[in-house]
Every structure is written in structure tokens, then in C-alpha cells.
Amino acid sequence: MELGKVTVSINKAINAQEVAVKEKHARTCILGTHHEKGAQTFWSVVNRLPLSGNAVLCWKFCHVFHKLLRDGHSNVLKDSMRYKNELSDMSRMWGHLSEGYGQLCSIYLKLLRTKMEFHSKNPRFPGNLQMSDRQLEEAGENDVNNFFQLTVEMFDYLECELNLFQTVFSSLDMSRSVSVTAAGQCRLAPLIQVILDCSHLYDYTVKLLFKLHSCLPADTLQGHRDRFLEQFRKLKDLFYRSSNLQYFKRLIQIPQLPENPPNFLRASALSEHISPVVVIPAEASSPDSEPITDLVEMDTASQSLFDNKFDDIFGSSFSSDPFNFNSQNGMNKDDKDRLIERLYGEIAALKEELENFKAESARGMVQLRGRTSELEAELAEQRHLKQQAQDESEFLRAELEELKKQREDTEKAQRSLTEIERRAQANEQRYSKLKEKYSELVQNHADLLRKNAEVTKQVTAARQAQGDVEREKKELEDSFQRVSEQAQRKSQEQAEVLDTLKRELAASRQEMQVLQGTLESSTQVGAEQSTRIAGLEQERDSLSQAAEQHREEMAALRAELQQLQDTLSHEQESSKMELETLQTQLKDKQESRERALQQRLDEEQFALLQGTAREAERMVQDALSRLEDPAHISCTGSAGTHLSPACCLPADCLLSRTLAASECVERLQDAHSKYLSNHGAVGSLLPCLALFAHLVSDTLLQGSATSHVAPMEPADRLLEMCKQCGSEAVSYLSTLQDPGTVEGADCSLVMTCLGQISAIGEELRPRGLDIKQEELGDLVDKEMAATAAAIETAAARIEEMLSKARAGDTGVKLEVNERILGSCTGLMQAIHILVLASKDLQREIVESGRGAASPKEFYAKNSRWTEGLISASKAVGWGATVLVDAADLVVQGKGTFEELMVCSREIAASTAQLVAASKVKADKDSANLCKLQQASRGVNQATASVVASTKAGKSQVEEKDSMDFSSMTLTQIKRQEMDSQVRVLELENQLQKERQKLGELRKKHYELAGVAEGWEEDAAD
């Protein structure tokens, strides 16, 4: 890209015309930074522009430079850091202009400097602030301190963006369609860059705050949350106002922030956060972009192409006769020419009408496309807002249900916690008492355990015996079953043998029939078989007897088992009864011990109450005795005499003590009623008793001190009421020490006495000036002007007296008068300088503190300070007048040097009061304050000079008037000595009286100053 083209684009983009920067020129500047990898060319051109002389030129420079910082090469920031101080100076210079583009340029330059500092401190952030969540995590380097500092820097960055946003909007007349004018677009165009920055900064701030809340306690981040909420409200309002401007609707789609800010105390709310996305439509073009090619010219070109094709086909020469008009109808050449011209005219008119129609169609199509894109963007935004609202509604519904459940659970938990705490407190009190009882029950428990072990052993042995019996029974049953099976098998074998014998007998009978000859042998065989059968029958009988014996043994075993079971159940019942008896005895002992412990606890609690009440009574008795103590009376009297106006009034102190004592009496009544309903609540009664005694004693002493500085009649009533209040308090504390009267103790009489003391204190409070607040401003100006006039008059009178002294006096008297009047002149000049410095500082305070209000409203709002300033001005003017009068009398020989010294010191004190009154609301770094302090030191030095010159003059005059002892005898000297001693005694007596008078005067001055200054007003005013 050519360097000259970039230079031309920069000059075209940054000009003095009040129109928006054209997009093509800004784009060329951005491409130039990428081409040369820096911003040297940009700054070389900008440095030649008069940015400090034209506000519009500076405004457009800020717009282009903001674009370069966002979209230009990364080296733009490095090349621009060297000009940071120049931008700051230019910002301060434009800040002095309150109209037009002055304030806008000042705030925009501050924003650009803040952006440069932010990106130089955080190089991971690109100029357009587009980062992923992973890159944002890496920017903090996994350190919570880095995240904390990064969040603060983002808050500062976003604060500058919002300030520019608000300043631009406040400079526009929103009642008219300013966004469609060139001047309005010139001011609104940079806000597109601001909107892009704000959307990213808001998103990153939300994510960083959620991360900080996961690592740090919520109390630590309270300041972060407050600052975020403030910026959230501003940004939401500005986004809403911007989205309604026609200028922004065509260029950018502004996101809408949620209705409520994110809840950082709930970690799951991060998943509900939707990052605001600023959409710039692709088809949108800014008003400063390249104009669209004229569709009319395109249609004209296409029509000319059509004409060329027509000429190629039919011929292009008007002189020729393409349609052979000469040979048709006998028409001549002139008629044909006129006809051709008329036809061509109609064709041209039709062409022009066609071109206009096409141009209008094209413009309408472009407008419809733009409107369609706007409607689509609005439809998408509305859909997004609808979905967001539905999601938020569902979330709020779910959160509401969850909050209801949490509230119910919290209430249940709170009730349970209260019950548990009450029980825990009672258990803790009983635990210490039950420890001793537990040690006594351990032995009984051990005995029961031993008996339980013995019973367990017996039960185990019985269970083992029962198991053995059951096993033997099972074995006998198995044996009986086996014997039965054997007998059954033998019976079957015998039956089979009988069958066999029967068959053999039948066979034998057949053989007997066949073989009769073998009869004898067969008979012998039959006899053997009979013998065998008889043996088998005998064996069967023996087996039957054995089975019968087994049955008898099983019956005996069953009887023995039943006996063992009965014995075991009897032993279990006896053990259970014995255990119940032991438990009953243990419970009775425990209840009796608890009753004894509770009785002892009640006695100790009442003893503690008696001791506390006794100490409280002793404290109140001590306060009552101190009311009559002469040392206390003299102490409080001197303290009341020397009170300064800066101190708190005695009546105010008395009222504050009375109010505190009344509140304590109310709490004491509540604690006493709780104690009567539950003696365990003595813990809340004892602190109230101690505080009651302290506050009542303090009230009595403060009432005594107030009575010493009050008039006679209210002082007597106040002192009498203090004594009655102390007596009632002692009576109440005495009733608390007696068990029979503790329930009837009542402190309502103490409350009544405190109310009467408060009423007397209200009567003793001084009343302020009856000046309307709207007149305070005029009164301040009048008093300051009167003070300055009094100073000038005093200086003129001193000059006049000095001229007269030089004309009429000689010698030592002239020297003394010149020195005194010269020092007085210097003092007047120093006071005049101080008054002027005070007026300048006062004007600065009013301008810096009143804001949009008028000076009179500022004085009315700060009435206490204004009244102090008025009083100080009056004191300075009066002091100057009195000083001049005293100096005049001294010069004439009618006054005393002491009066002149007192006046000079009084005027120094008055000027110090004026300095203090002016210094109250001044900025500590103010230049006018430094001048005022320097002038105050000058006044002090001038005062010291007046005192020194007066003392020197007095010593010269006294040396001149020294006594001559040369002609005096011893008797005369002795007489003079006695006269001097008498004079000394008289002067000492007068000195004591004058000191008492001075104390009374200061006391009265204190009361009148309280009335004048309105010291009785609340500190909240």
C-alpha cells in the first residue's frame, strides 16, 4: 500500500467538518498500520494537525485512534505509548471547556489513555478484547491476587467507557431526531467502538467475579459487588437507550442485558450467564461508507448497448433512409425528418421514464432489503429475548420454589436451633453439677455390671445345659428311629422266612405224599424249624423290650428338660425384677440430687444478684455523696467556667446521659420480668444492673455539673431532681436484695425522675439564631464585605493617626507612637491579605461543593458552617475597630499599653477562628488553602510585632518616668514604701476580683455564643 494514499486517507478521515468519519478512510488507515507494522505514519501526520485548536478535529482523531487500537497492528500500542503524556495534557486542556466538544474530547482522551495503560499492563488482551475462557484463565496466571487486580482494572476501564457514553448522550437533544443529522452522527459514531468494548468487559467482569467468589470470602468482595451493580445499571440503561436510536439500528445489533444482575453468592448462577454478543450485519453499511453505484447510470449504459445493437441492425445514420420513406407515399425529406425526430423524441422520453422507474425500483428494493434485514435482526433479537425471558422465568420459578423450601427449612432449623441452644445452655449448666453425681453412680453401676455378668453366666450355663439336653434328645430320637427301622427290617425278614417255611412245608407235605418213606427225616426237619421259629420269636420280644426302655428314657429326658427350662425362666424373671428395682433406686437418687442441685443453683444465682445489686447501690450512693462534696462542686464549677465553644454543651451531655439511662431502665424492666418468670435468666439481668448503676451515677454527676453553670432556679430544681432520682434508684436496688420483695421491685419512679431531668435539660439548652436558611448566603457575603471594609477603614485611620503623631509629637513619644502605629499598620495589612485569601478559599469551597445547586442553596445546606463563618467575620471586623480605637487612645496618652496588647491578641484569635471556619470544608491540597495558612502565619507574626513594639514603648515610657530619689528623706521613702505596699494589696484584691469577673464573662460569652452559633442543633445537621 502506498504511503501517500495512507497519508491522504488520514487527512480525509481527521478533518474539521462535523460529520462522521468515513468508513473507507478509517479502513485504509487500519490497513496501513498492518502494511507498515506500526503507527509511525499515522503519528507523523497527526502531529502536524492542530488538535488543540479545533475540538471537532480532536474528536475525530480520538475516533480514528480508537479504531486503530482495536483493529490496527499490535505495534500501534507500542508506537503510541510515547505520546501518552501529550494525550493527558490535551485532555486537561479540553476539560476547561464546558460546552460543545470540549468535555467530550477530554473524556475520550482519558478513555484512550486508560485503554493504553490497560493493554500495556495486560499484554495478553488484544486490542479488540476478544478472548476465549481459556485465554482469560491464562491471563490471571492461576493467582487469585492477579484476578483481583485484573477485576479492579476492568472496573476502571469500563467506568471510563460509561462516562463517555453518558457524556455523549447528555450533550444531545434527545427530543429531536439527532441520530439522522450529520452533527448527531458525528457524536454517535465512536459509540460503536465503545459498545464493542463494553460488551466484552462486562462478560469478563462477570466471569472473574464468579471465580473470585469461589476463592475468597463474600465479605472481602463486597466492594467489587457494589461497584459491579452500579456499572450494571448504567450499562443496561445505555444499551437500552442506544438500541432505540435509528442510527444504530442499521449499523449494529445491541444486546440487551438481563433484568437482574448475576447472583455471585450462588456458584450455579454462572451457568445461567449469557455472554452479550454485539452483531454487526454483513449487509449493513455505515453512512460514511462508499456510495453505491448509481443504478440509473447502469440502466443508461445497458440502454446505450441496446441502441448500438439497434443501429447495427437497422443503420445509424439519420441522413440515410433505412425504411425507404422517400419512396413511400410520396413524402418529401423534411416531413420524414420531422417524423424521425418526433419518434426519437418519444423514444428518449420513454427511455428517461424507464430509467426513472428503474432507479425508483432499485432504491425501493434497497430500502426494502435494508428494512427486511432490520426486521430480521429485530425478530432474532426478540426471539432471543423471548427465549431468555422464558428461561429466566423458569429459573426464577424454580429459584422461588427453592427459596420457599429453604425458608421453611430455615425456619424449622431456626426453631430447632433455638430449642437446641436453650437445651444446650440448660445442659451445660447441669453438666458441671452432674459430674459429681456421675462419680457417685460409677460404683453402683460397677456393682450392677458384676451382678449382670453373674446372671449372664448363669443364663449361659443354663443355655448350654439346654443345648446338651436337646442334643441328647436328638441322639435318642435318632437311636430310636434306627432301632425301629432294624426291628421293622427283622420283622420283614421273619415274615419272609415264615413264607419260605410255609412254602417249604407245602413242598414237604407234597413230598410226604410222594415220599412217605422219608417221614421221620421230615419230622426231624420240622422240629428243627420249630426250634428256629421259637428263637426268632424270643429275639423279637427282646427287641420290643429294648424299644420300650428307650421310650421310657426319652420321657425321663423330656421331663428333665422341662424342669431345666422352668428353672431358667424363673431365674430370668428374678434377675429382671432385681434390675428394675436397682434402676428405680438409681432414678430416685438422681431426681433427689437434681432437686438439691437446682435449689443450690437458685441460691447461688440469687446471691450473685444480691452482690451485683449491692455493688450497684454502692455506686449510686457514691454518686449521691459526691453531689454534696465541696471538691466535686469546685471542680465542676471551674470546668463549666472554662468551657470553650468547641466543646459540647453541659445540657447536651446531660440529655445524652439521660437518654442512655432511660433506655437502660427499659432494658432492665424487660430483664427483670424475664428473671421473675425464669430464674435461670439471671445472666441477662446482671449486665443491665451494672449498666443501670453506671448510667444513673453518670447522669447524677452530669446533672450536678450542669447545675453549677445554670441559672439559680433551674439549677436548684435540677439538683433536687438528681437527688430524688438517686434515692429512687437506691430504693429499687435495695428491693432487689431481699428475696421477699424482689418480685415487687419497680423502677418506674426512676424513669419518671429521668424524664423530669431531661425536661429541665431541654430548658437549659441555648437557642440558635432565628435566621432563615435562604438568607445565610447573602449574610455571608455582607459580613465578609463588612469585614474587608472595616479593615480598610482601620488601616486608613492608623495612617491618619501616624500623620498626626509625626506632626505634633517629638522625642521618645514620637518614636514610641511611630513604632506602635507602624506595627498596627502591618497587622492591618496582614489581616487584609488573610480576608482576601479567605474569600478566595470560600469561593472555591462553594464552587466545588455545590454541584448543580446555587451558592445560596449550598450555604443553606451547610448552615452550621455558614453560621461559624459569619461569626468569625464579625469577630475580625469588631477586633479591627477596637484595635484602632485602643491605638488612638494610646497615641493621645489616654489609653494603656495593656489594652492595646489585649486587642491585638483578640484580633489574632478572631482571625484564627476565621481560618478554622474556612479550613473546615477545604481540600487539603488546595492552593488557596496554602495561601490562607501563609496569611494566617503572617497575622501571627504581625500580632507578635504589635505586642513587642507595645512592650518596648511601655518600657521606654517607664524609664522616662522613673522616680527621683535625690530630694527624698528617709521618712519620705518609708512613707512611699508603705503606700506602695497598700497599693500592691489593693491591686492583688482587684486582680482576684477581676479574675472572677473574667470567669463570669467567659461563662456568659459561652452561653451567648451557643445561641449565636446554634450549638444546640443535632450533630446530624
Side-chain angles (χ1 to χ4, degrees), residues 881-898:
T881 305
V882 173
L883 178 67
V884 173
D885 294 337
D888 190 9
L889 293 175
V890 169
V891 171
Q892 294 177 8
K894 300 177 181 179
T896 60
F897 293 96
E898 288 79 6

Side-chain angles (χ1 to χ4, degrees), residues 70 118-119 124-137 139 147 150-152 154-155 157-158 196-212 228 264 270 273-276:
R70 279 187 52 83
F118 176 80
H119 288 289
R124 295 177 182 268
F125 284 83
N128 55 10
L129 295 175
Q130 293 181 0
M131 294 181 69
S132 63
D133 293 343
R134 183 179 60 82
Q135 292 174 336
L136 185 61
E137 289 284 343
F147 285 120
L150 181 60
T151 307
V152 174
M154 284 190 176
F155 280 144
Y157 191 177
L158 185 57
L196 293 171
D197 288 344
C198 288
S199 62
H200 293 299
L201 290 174
Y202 167 76
D203 184 32
Y204 299 154
T205 304
V206 171
K207 294 176 180 178
L208 289 176
L209 283 177
F210 272 111
K211 185 169 185 64
L212 288 175
F228 173 80
F264 299 109
L270 178 59
H273 169 65
I274 300 176
S275 300

Side-chain angles (χ1 to χ4, degrees), residues 447-460 575:
D447 297 337
L448 290 174
L449 288 177
R450 284 194 295 272
K451 291 181 180 180
N452 189 19
E454 293 175 358
V455 171
T456 304
K457 289 179 181 179
Q458 294 176 1
V459 171
T460 304
S575 300

